[in-house]
Amino acid sequence: MTLARRFWAGSLLLVLVTIAGAIGYVFVEDLSVVDAIYTTIITVSTVGFTEPRGGFSQGGQVLTIVVILAGVGAVLYTATAGIEMGIEAFVGGERQRRRMEREIAGLRDHILVCGFGRIGRNVHDRLTASVDERPVLVIDDNPERADSAREHGAMVLEGDATRDEVLEAAGIDRASVLIACVRSDADNLFIVLSARSRRPDLLIIARATEAESERKLLLAGANRVVAPQVVGALRLAALAVQPDVADFIDLMVEGQVLEFRVERFEVVEGAAAVGSTLGEARVRSTTGTLVLAVQESGRIALNPSPDLVIRPGQVLYGIGTPDQVEQLRTILCEVR
């Protein structure tokens, strides 16, 4: 639990103890509402007080003990959280801010994820779990979501991604990809416009909630636009009318989801498969990956022949499981 949540939880507990104590004094000692609240507050604050004429009954004494223990505990808990918040704000927060600025200043070729809602969280998880080792920086202006992202292990810049100075602080001039996935299409549009004006060469991917927003985001400069509702609808429809085809992309094996990935491989000089044909390299049998196409000199050959010779500079597109495509990457993109 964050310091802010601890502080507000302690404050709520203190209010509940005061209300419960006042109600207890009204019923147990037959005090008026004002006297009951007054008695509860001075009991919780431990300033001391004079008991009603004749003193408290045994029930009133037990109630007072409970109010003191619960009230003092709530006061100490809330005060501790408040003091820690103050120290964090004046000391720790500044130190953390400077440390984050140094980390961001050292980022190169990183991926910016604007927004850490449900979509942004999933995007971050998939990026950090992939073989791509590029660092990921989350930008969000909501303190609770920013805290949630930090607890999730993300590198976070707290700020409004629609503002140029925030994108500049996030190192957009050094970034390789920007993903705009905040909840509002209008905000995503502003983010795309700001990013494109700053970086004409940046790969920008945007989320669209409404279908009509897709065209606007593309016009604003997004390279790709994804509408989760549309993608989900197409997936549901495919499962309904073509379940076998849909299962080709997303198979269930012993209760586990086995995902196929389409990867791009650029053949390098000195790789194990260079000089061999697809058949001689036994790509399919040794790696399990299916080669879908080969691009060379600007031309693409779909479903290439096993007699195709693998040469440096070619780009192969293959489909397989994460482990399979990594094996193909080894023989095409790594020097022996």
Side-chain angles (χ1 to χ4, degrees):
M1 183 182 293
T2 62
L3 288 176
R5 291 181 179 178
R6 284 175 52 194
F7 176 79
W8 290 113
S11 300
L12 178 61
L13 178 61
L14 189 57
V15 171
L16 292 176
V17 169
T18 303
I19 294 174
I23 294 174
Y25 281 122
V26 168
F27 285 97
V28 174
E29 294 298 329
D30 197 26
L31 297 180
S32 67
V33 173
V34 174
D35 287 341
I37 295 175
Y38 173 76
T39 302
T40 303
I41 291 176
I42 62 177
T43 300
V44 169
S45 64
T46 68
V47 299
F49 64 95
T50 301
E51 295 183 3
R53 185 176 300 174
F56 282 141
S57 64
Q58 190 173 19
Q61 292 173 344
V62 172
L63 175 61
T64 301
I65 292 173
V66 172
V67 170
I68 291 174
L69 293 176
V72 171
V75 168
L76 290 176
Y77 182 86
T78 307
T80 301
I83 292 172
E84 289 181 4
M85 284 178 61
I87 295 175
E88 179 69 20
F90 288 103
V91 180
E94 181 65 20
R95 184 170 61 249
Q96 183 180 26
R97 184 184 64 81
R98 291 181 179 178
R99 178 177 60 81
M100 183 59 64
E101 287 178 351
R102 288 195 299 270
E103 290 183 3
I104 295 174
L107 294 178
R108 295 292 184 278
D109 198 34
H110 54 294
I111 301 174
L112 300 176
V113 177
C114 303
F116 199 75
R118 288 176 297 177
I119 301 295
R121 178 188 294 266
N122 288 325
V123 169
H124 174 270
D125 289 347
R126 294 302 297 267
L127 288 173
T128 53
S130 69
V131 295
D132 195 318
E133 297 181 352
R134 284 178 292 181
V136 180
L137 175 63
V138 172
I139 306 175
D140 203 303
D141 62 348
N142 184 289
E144 290 188 3
R145 287 198 298 267
D147 287 341
S148 176
R150 294 187 186 96
E151 293 173 0
H152 203 64
M155 185 184 302
V156 183
L157 174 64
E158 192 170 335
D160 186 354
T162 63
R163 302 181 65 85
D164 291 341
E165 59 267 26
V166 173
L167 292 177
E168 182 178 358
I172 190 173
D173 294 333
R174 306 182 305 275
S176 59
V177 182
L178 181 142
I179 302 175
C181 55
V182 299
R183 183 173 300 177
S184 167
D185 284 354
D187 286 344
N188 283 325
L189 185 63
F190 276 115
I191 293 171
V192 171
L193 284 169
S194 298
R196 181 57 71 208
S197 65
R198 182 100 185 189
R199 284 283 306 279
D201 61 325
L202 182 66
L203 174 60
I204 301 176
I205 305 168
R207 167 197 177 186
T209 303
E210 302 294 336
E212 63 181 18
S213 299
E214 293 186 51
R215 185 178 62 86
K216 296 177 182 178
L217 287 163
L218 290 171
L219 289 173
N223 298 96
R224 297 286 187 274
V225 178
V226 178
Q229 293 89 337
V230 175
V231 174
L234 292 175
R235 179 71 176 145
L236 292 171
L239 287 169
V241 300
Q242 293 181 308
D244 294 335
V245 175
D247 287 343
F248 176 74
I249 302 299
D250 198 7
L251 297 179
M252 292 297 295
V253 179
E254 297 181 355
Q256 299 293 322
V257 177
L258 180 62
E259 295 180 352
F260 283 89
R261 285 169 28 190
V262 177
E263 292 279 345
R264 176 183 183 276
F265 308 94
E266 184 170 351
V267 183
V268 300
E269 183 73 50
V274 169
S276 305
T277 65
L278 287 175
E280 292 170 346
R282 298 192 300 170
V283 171
R284 182 73 181 86
S285 60
T286 57
T287 69
T289 308
L290 176 64
V291 177
L292 300 175
V294 176
Q295 181 179 356
E296 186 175 15
S297 301
R299 303 180 64 180
I300 297 180
L302 299 176
N303 192 21
S305 166
D307 297 327
L308 179 77
V309 178
I310 301 174
R311 290 187 287 268
Q314 289 176 333
V315 176
L316 276 66
Y317 295 88
I319 183 172
T321 65
D323 289 339
Q324 290 171 343
V325 296
E326 278 309 301
Q327 292 181 43
L328 182 58
R329 187 187 306 278
T330 300
I331 66 173
L332 294 179
C333 306
E334 294 183 7
V335 179
R336 288 178 293 185

